[in-house]
Amino acid sequence: MKIAVVDYGMGNLRSVAKALEHVAPEAQVIVTAEPAQLDAADRVVVPGQGALHDCMREFLARGLRDAVERASRSKPFLGVCVGMQMLFDHGEEGDTAGLGLIGGEVPKFSSAMTAGDGSHLKVPHMGWNEVEALRAHPLFDGIAPNARFYFVHSFYCAPRDAADAVARTHYGIAFTSAVARDNIFATQFHPEKSAAAGLQLLANFVRWKP
């Protein structure tokens, strides 16, 4: 099996690759910006961290759009953090057009958000938080209900079709923390930084047959 981690010069590419190597030692994990290698891969992962507009600029400058869109239609596909936000139509950050693979917007958390005790919540949302599955999905197999995953983000995804949301998390508001459609699965949290639960999700992705 060949797993391609898309290299567009942004994000935590190596830590994602190392986590995949850990859960799938028999697989060939490559970090690549070559469309031909993405086409040849059995599974594709688009990681990311940082600003959406910077990530999209670098992604498009490297000519990766067509190959990633082909992968999103034809093979198991995982987006992580900004790699999830890029799938949407539009991001508020930098007034950025996304890939339009999932309908919806990527707005910013309000600086006026408060916790249950009335205290103001910090933006970015950073640290461990519970992820509530909204429906069963193979990538959640073996993961406890409301398991905690690691987040670092100031913007969140708001899918137009509620059926695309597969998990949610509460931080001032209830926001979509994972989406799933056909062979696409994407998370706002970082599974590669989320200890046992994150490694289980990546192992499930390696075995997933959508």
Side-chain angles (χ1 to χ4, degrees), residues 100-120:
L101 301 175
I102 301 286
E105 300 291 316
V106 185
K108 186 175 184 177
F109 283 122
S110 168
S111 59
M113 289 191 310
T114 57
D117 61 3
S119 61
H120 282 280

Side-chain angles (χ1 to χ4, degrees), residues 77-147:
F77 182 100
L78 177 64
V80 175
C81 194
V82 175
M84 170 176 167
Q85 296 177 5
M86 291 168 64
L87 302 179
F88 281 72
D89 292 322
H90 176 263
E92 184 178 306
E93 186 175 23
D95 191 20
T96 304
L99 298 176
L101 301 175
I102 301 286
E105 300 291 316
V106 185
K108 186 175 184 177
F109 283 122
S110 168
S111 59
M113 289 191 310
T114 57
D117 61 3
S119 61
H120 282 280
L121 294 171
K122 294 181 179 179
V123 178
H125 171 216
M126 181 181 299
W128 296 83
N129 205 340
E130 293 183 357
V131 171
E132 177 191 358
L134 298 174
R135 55 185 167 89
H137 191 281
L139 266 70
F140 287 136
D141 287 352
I143 297 174
N146 300 315

Side-chain angles (χ1 to χ4, degrees), residues 20-131:
L20 288 165
E21 290 170 355
H22 178 77
V23 301
E26 75 289 350
Q28 179 186 6
V29 180
I30 60 171
V31 177
T32 181
E34 296 296 327
Q37 291 190 318
L38 299 182
D39 287 337
D42 300 295
R43 294 164 194 271
V44 169
V45 180
V46 180
Q49 61 185 26
L52 177 60
H53 57 89
D54 291 337
C55 290
M56 282 301 303
R57 182 190 65 239
E58 295 301 318
F59 180 85
L60 296 173
R62 285 165 168 76
L64 290 164
R65 180 171 194 146
D66 288 348
V68 166
E69 289 185 349
R70 286 194 295 273
S72 75
R73 295 192 295 266
S74 62
K75 60 192 67 177
F77 182 100
L78 177 64
V80 175
C81 194
V82 175
M84 170 176 167
Q85 296 177 5
M86 291 168 64
L87 302 179
F88 281 72
D89 292 322
H90 176 263
E92 184 178 306
E93 186 175 23
D95 191 20
T96 304
L99 298 176
L101 301 175
I102 301 286
E105 300 291 316
V106 185
K108 186 175 184 177
F109 283 122
S110 168
S111 59
M113 289 191 310
T114 57
D117 61 3
S119 61
H120 282 280
L121 294 171
K122 294 181 179 179
V123 178
H125 171 216
M126 181 181 299
W128 296 83
N129 205 340
E130 293 183 357
V131 171

Side-chain angles (χ1 to χ4, degrees), residues 143-201:
I143 297 174
N146 300 315
R148 295 172 69 83
F149 290 83
Y150 189 79
F151 291 82
V152 183
H153 64 122
S154 299
F155 297 77
Y156 64 94
C157 296
R160 184 174 302 116
D161 186 348
D164 289 330
V166 71
R168 67 184 173 193
T169 294
H170 292 268
Y171 190 73
I173 60 170
F175 69 90
T176 296
S177 51
V179 294
R181 178 192 291 176
D182 302 326
N183 58 297
I184 296 174
F185 193 95
T187 67
Q188 183 62 67
F189 54 84
H190 287 270
E192 78 283 0
K193 297 180 180 179
S194 297
L199 292 176
Q200 182 65 56
L201 187 145

Side-chain angles (χ1 to χ4, degrees), residues 4-29:
V5 178
V6 179
D7 179 5
Y8 54 98
M10 304 286 290
N12 50 329
L13 305 172
R14 299 297 169 184
S15 58
V16 171
K18 290 296 185 185
L20 288 165
E21 290 170 355
H22 178 77
V23 301
E26 75 289 350
Q28 179 186 6
V29 180

